Amino acid sequence: MTLLRDHDLARAFDHASRTYDRLTALNPGYRTDLLRSARRLRLPDDGAGLHVLDLGCGTGASTRALLRAAPRARITAVDASGGMLRQALAKPWPDRVRFLHLSAEELPTAGEGPFDAVFAAYLFRNVTDPDAVLQSVRTLLKPGGRLAVHEYSLGGSPAQRALWTAVCQGFVIPAGTLTGDRALYRHLWHSVLDFDAAPDFTGRLTRAGFAGARALPLAGWQTGITHTFVARNGPVPAAAGPARQSFAGTAAAPVPTVEAGR
């Protein structure tokens, strides 16, 4: 199967956006695991004075997880799918959360940032060039800034591949077929099988210049299938001192939620 990419993938998410939250709600632990990954950013002081990027925010489930993990942070959430963003914008948000219609590739030239932390959920297996996006993330992150990637990334065993295939063929693809989104959920199945195994993505992060990259497991049926990858933007300079100082910066005024571009 040819994977969906770029505009084709954005259009598929546009079409699936109205039923996306209902389908993901059927996945045991979906929102709990997002929250666990967001908390693994370990942002100090509930995120006070920090600007956090939610890269590939979808309908806002990852944004909600970030808001719970860092309730005092300022959050900019971006996604390439206008349909998914419309679903996110229909939900209530505080003024310190805003949404932008941008792809991961467009963000570095959009005048956004720098950010103290970046959270990317279910993004990297969907981009055409993950290495280029990682370099973009590095340009957007402050020195020592934190990255957490929440992603389907198999541990490498045949049993994990077999379990993922069984779940997709037995539930995910049939459910997506009922909503008219079979192509998107077949893409989901194959994109996970084709993506880096957890050790490989950890190595990719290290080669991209991130420091301390490691893969952390998640609980439940997705153990060995979904991981949190945590890292920092390059070596933290010795003069930076304790971890809290690597996030130094003045608190910014709240930014109002804005309508995504269409």
Side-chain angles (χ1 to χ4, degrees):
M1 173 188 174
T2 301
L3 296 177
L4 300 174
R5 293 299 186 203
D6 304 324
H7 296 298
D8 290 336
L9 183 57
R11 281 194 294 268
F13 275 117
D14 287 346
H15 189 271
S17 60
R18 286 174 291 181
T19 58
Y20 191 81
D21 283 343
R22 291 199 295 274
L23 287 182
T24 58
L26 299 175
N27 180 352
Y30 181 86
R31 287 169 176 77
T32 301
D33 285 346
L34 280 172
L35 178 58
R36 183 174 289 115
S37 289
R39 285 176 171 163
R40 284 171 171 172
L41 280 168
R42 305 182 72 84
L43 299 179
D45 301 333
D46 288 337
L50 305 183
H51 190 186
V52 182
L53 172 65
D54 183 10
L55 188 58
C57 64
T59 62
S62 54
T63 317
R64 188 72 64 190
L66 270 178
L67 194 58
R68 291 183 62 190
R72 301 172 67 191
R74 182 162 57 105
I75 299 171
T76 295
V78 305
D79 201 274
S81 166
M84 299 290 271
L85 282 173
R86 283 190 287 275
Q87 296 299 315
L89 285 163
K91 302 167 184 175
W93 301 97
D95 286 346
R96 62 185 175 278
V97 178
R98 65 171 182 158
F99 292 88
L100 298 175
H101 187 190
L102 292 168
S103 69
E105 293 83 357
E106 292 169 331
L107 191 60
T109 59
E112 297 295 323
F115 298 95
D116 299 285
V118 173
F119 187 49
Y122 304 119
L123 171 79
F124 277 95
R125 65 185 165 77
N126 285 324
V127 300
T128 302
D129 188 345
D131 292 322
V133 174
L134 284 172
Q135 289 303 319
S136 296
V137 170
R138 288 204 69 198
T139 67
L140 293 165
L141 265 175
K142 293 179 181 178
R146 306 180 189 195
L147 170 67
V149 174
H150 177 95
E151 187 57 273
Y152 291 117
S153 178
L154 302 177
S157 78
Q160 289 158 357
R161 295 179 67 87
L163 174 58
W164 175 248
T165 292
V167 168
C168 288
Q169 292 185 341
F171 174 73
V172 175
I173 295 173
T177 300
L178 290 176
T179 64
D181 298 302
R182 179 178 176 84
L184 177 63
Y185 292 102
R186 280 183 57 82
H187 164 87
L188 169 63
W189 171 32
H190 285 281
S191 68
V192 175
L193 294 178
D194 288 357
F195 189 59
D196 295 346
D200 298 322
F201 190 69
T202 304
R204 189 188 293 271
L205 288 169
T206 300
R207 291 191 300 275
F210 289 93
R214 55 198 179 110
L216 304 175
L218 291 159
W221 76 268
Q222 293 188 121
T223 300
I225 292 175
T226 309
H227 291 82
T228 317
F229 299 89
V230 293
R232 284 181 178 267
N233 186 16
V236 179
R244 180 65 185 91
Q245 292 184 2
S246 70
F247 287 80
T250 57
V255 178
T257 301
V258 298
E259 177 64 36
R262 297 171 185 243

